[in-house]
Amino acid sequence: MTAPSTAPAPSRGGRWIQQWDPEDETFWNETGEKIAKRNLFFSVLSEHIGFSIWTLWSVLVLFMGPEYGLTPADKFLLTSMVTLVGAVVRVPYTFAVAIFGGRNWTIISASLLLIPTIAAFAVMKPGTSFDTFLWIGLLAGIGGGNFASSMTNINAFFPLRKKGWALGLNAGGGNIGVPVIQLVALAIIGASGGPRVLLGIYIPLILVAAVLAALFMDNIASVKNDTGAAKDAAKDAHTWIMSFLYIGTFGSFIGYAFAFGQVLQVQFGRTPLQAAYLTFIGPLLGSLIRPVGGWLADKYGGAKISLYNYVAMAAATGLLIFASMQKSLPLFVSVFVVLFVLSGLGNGSTFKMIPGIFQTKALAKGLEGEEAAAYGRRLSGASMGLIGAVGALGGVGINMAFRQSFLTNGSGTGAFVIFLAFYALCFAVTWAVYLRRPAAAAQSEAAAEAKPQLSYAEV
């Protein structure tokens, strides 16, 4: 029988919750879970549209035929720069949750999406200069920041035992904005519509997301004004190790999402409509599988799932190299879709590792109960923005690697060789840092320090 809750019922005066203790099972069952799930739902909606606007230009370039005067290298550069902005703004978006509150920042960040969408609507026509397209595209990068603030916010709502599922669902619901905008574009291209139709559809959706966030979301008072957590997280080596590993999963997902359609057009001669028919499948499945990655990590440990996932990603990339060299479109598309699925699975498992790592560190410091949980929530929430930002930079690297590969030898094969080597390196880091257990060294250290030893095998 569960002990009576010691946490008071949350006060929502002015949409602020003053007391929040999700680790208290009675509090969670009686009050917390319902509130947390409501905030999760509307956070996903806003983040979903943010992802759609961020990846907008991966779709718009498919509409931009010869009359626009852009080369394939121009298009890869354009999408690379959009990805870069989306990665960089994730850092201030993480701070924004502590400054403004999760609900308040969701309203602001959703409303900001109107700027790049309306600007793109205004300039999207033949005759517009490449520089103009580049500057307007950079504005769309702010949509990438919504992920960081949403993950930081939702991390505070859920108990550690539920974080893998909750963060996976939150991120997966956001990631699915990529295939959704590609599907909408497919329908518009198929109906002989133009890019302005696509932009016109999203403007009212942005307004709806902002209004719903205002009506149904909450701020958690304990998260506000803790900007020092980000500084503490930045000093921790695990933040940067996990950032590196997240490049391999989310960097792959977002980089391939931006580049896939262009690769099909340039390397395999597909038309915009033919490319659009194929590009949405991988991001869709990769988004849907992300909560499964989180769930598997909850059950078996994020480090173990991530380790095996990098092996599978490397194997799939090896097959892509073969398909690229053989110019086999069916094999190429099939394996690319598998790689999307694996990147989504790895996204869920790597992000589950983050709260587990900081909880383990809290216990090793001798902290217990709510004190340990608060320490883990504080640092994991802050680190997620930094990790998400660095991970998204992998998308920039992927697009630039494709650009250089096509400029050098006319195919993406060289880029895939680089990706294969990187996945092998991710495997080695995961094993060495989070799964390797040198027994002799551990015993020696234990004898010397006589304090709890860090073990990350179950994170």
Side-chain angles (χ1 to χ4, degrees):
M1 186 172 179
T2 307
S5 172
T6 57
S11 168
R12 300 181 63 239
R15 310 303 300 194
W16 286 92
I17 296 176
Q18 299 300 325
Q19 299 290 335
W20 188 257
D21 183 11
E23 302 298 340
D24 183 320
E25 290 192 27
T26 302
F27 168 82
W28 177 254
N29 293 331
E30 292 178 355
T31 311
E33 185 173 17
K34 182 180 178 181
I35 295 172
K37 286 183 176 179
R38 170 164 45 76
N39 278 271
L40 173 63
F41 178 83
F42 291 103
S43 180
V44 165
L45 177 62
S46 178
E47 184 195 349
H48 169 90
I49 295 177
F51 257 98
S52 293
I53 301 306
W54 185 26
T55 54
L56 180 67
W57 285 87
S58 70
V59 171
L60 291 180
V61 294
L62 299 180
F63 286 98
M64 299 164 75
E67 69 274 16
Y68 283 83
L70 302 184
T71 66
D74 289 335
K75 294 181 180 181
F76 276 117
L77 178 60
L78 174 58
T79 53
S80 296
M81 292 302 99
V82 177
T83 313
L84 175 62
V85 174
V88 171
V89 299
R90 289 183 167 195
V91 177
Y93 269 56
T94 302
F95 282 103
V97 173
I99 296 170
F100 297 98
R103 166 191 174 266
N104 295 350
W105 182 248
T106 302
I107 299 167
I108 296 169
S109 60
S111 301
L112 287 173
L113 298 174
L114 289 169
I115 298 172
T117 312
I118 293 172
F121 185 90
V123 306
M124 185 51 59
K125 57 187 175 182
T128 300
S129 69
F130 173 71
D131 287 345
T132 302
F133 284 129
L134 183 59
W135 283 109
I136 300 301
L138 292 177
L139 290 174
I142 63 173
N146 289 40
F147 170 87
S149 54
S150 181
M151 294 294 274
T152 300
N153 185 39
I154 293 305
N155 179 64
F157 274 98
F158 284 82
L160 181 64
R161 64 188 182 279
K162 298 281 187 179
K163 285 186 189 292
W165 172 85
L167 293 174
L169 191 63
N170 186 57
N175 291 173
I176 210 170
V178 180
V180 166
I181 200 167
Q182 292 173 342
L183 276 168
V184 174
L186 171 61
I188 292 170
I189 294 174
S192 300
R196 284 186 168 180
V197 177
L198 176 65
L199 294 163
I201 290 172
Y202 271 85
I203 291 172
L205 292 178
I206 293 169
L207 291 169
V208 168
V211 170
L212 291 176
L215 292 175
F216 297 109
M217 290 187 70
D218 303 287
N219 303 297
I220 297 179
S222 61
V223 176
K224 186 171 166 51
N225 295 327
D226 191 15
T227 52
K231 296 178 183 178
D232 292 341
K235 294 176 184 177
D236 196 292
H238 288 285
T239 297
W240 303 108
I241 295 169
M242 290 307 303
S243 296
F244 178 81
L245 296 180
Y246 199 55
I247 290 174
T249 56
F250 181 75
S252 297
F253 176 87
I254 199 64
Y256 294 148
F258 271 100
F260 191 23
Q262 294 181 75
V263 172
L264 292 175
Q265 284 186 296
V266 177
Q267 185 165 338
F268 292 95
R270 299 296 93 182
T271 67
L273 182 59
Q274 289 170 332
Y277 268 120
L278 299 172
T279 53
F280 76 91
I281 301 171
L284 175 63
L285 295 177
S287 301
L288 292 174
I289 202 72
R290 182 161 183 160
V292 177
W295 175 79
L296 288 171
D298 282 339
K299 189 171 183 179
Y300 299 107
K304 293 175 184 175
I305 299 300
S306 297
L307 185 80
Y308 297 133
N309 197 68
Y310 287 126
V311 173
M313 291 181 76
T317 307
L319 284 175
L320 274 180
I321 294 171
F322 175 78
S324 181
M325 294 175 66
Q326 296 297 314
K327 298 180 179 179
S328 171
L329 179 61
L331 180 60
F332 186 86
V333 172
S334 299
V335 178
F336 220 131
V337 169
V338 171
L339 193 54
F340 267 112
V341 171
L342 292 171
S343 71
L345 196 71
N347 283 338
S349 63
T350 52
F351 242 75
K352 168 57 176 69
M353 290 171 67
I354 299 166
I357 288 168
F358 288 107
Q359 178 74 3
T360 299
K361 294 195 74 170
L363 296 175
K365 285 175 176 288
L367 302 179
E368 297 178 353
E370 172 55 24
E371 190 179 10
Y375 176 93
R377 280 200 305 273
R378 179 176 181 267
L379 286 185
S380 62
S383 69
M384 282 176 181
L386 298 172
I387 293 167
V390 177
L393 288 174
V396 182
I398 281 177
N399 278 270
M400 294 304 290
F402 276 129
R403 181 177 185 271
Q404 189 58 47
S405 186
F406 281 112
L407 284 173
T408 303
N409 53 38
S411 80
T413 304
F416 288 121
V417 172
I418 295 172
F419 306 153
L420 174 58
F422 188 80
Y423 297 143
L425 191 55
C426 287
F427 169 87
V429 170
T430 304
W431 176 79
V433 178
Y434 297 114
L435 289 170
R436 183 169 61 97
R437 289 179 166 181
Q443 290 173 3
S444 174
E445 192 174 329
E449 299 185 16
K451 67 180 183 181
Q453 296 300 303
L454 292 171
S455 174
Y456 297 104
E458 304 302 323
V459 299

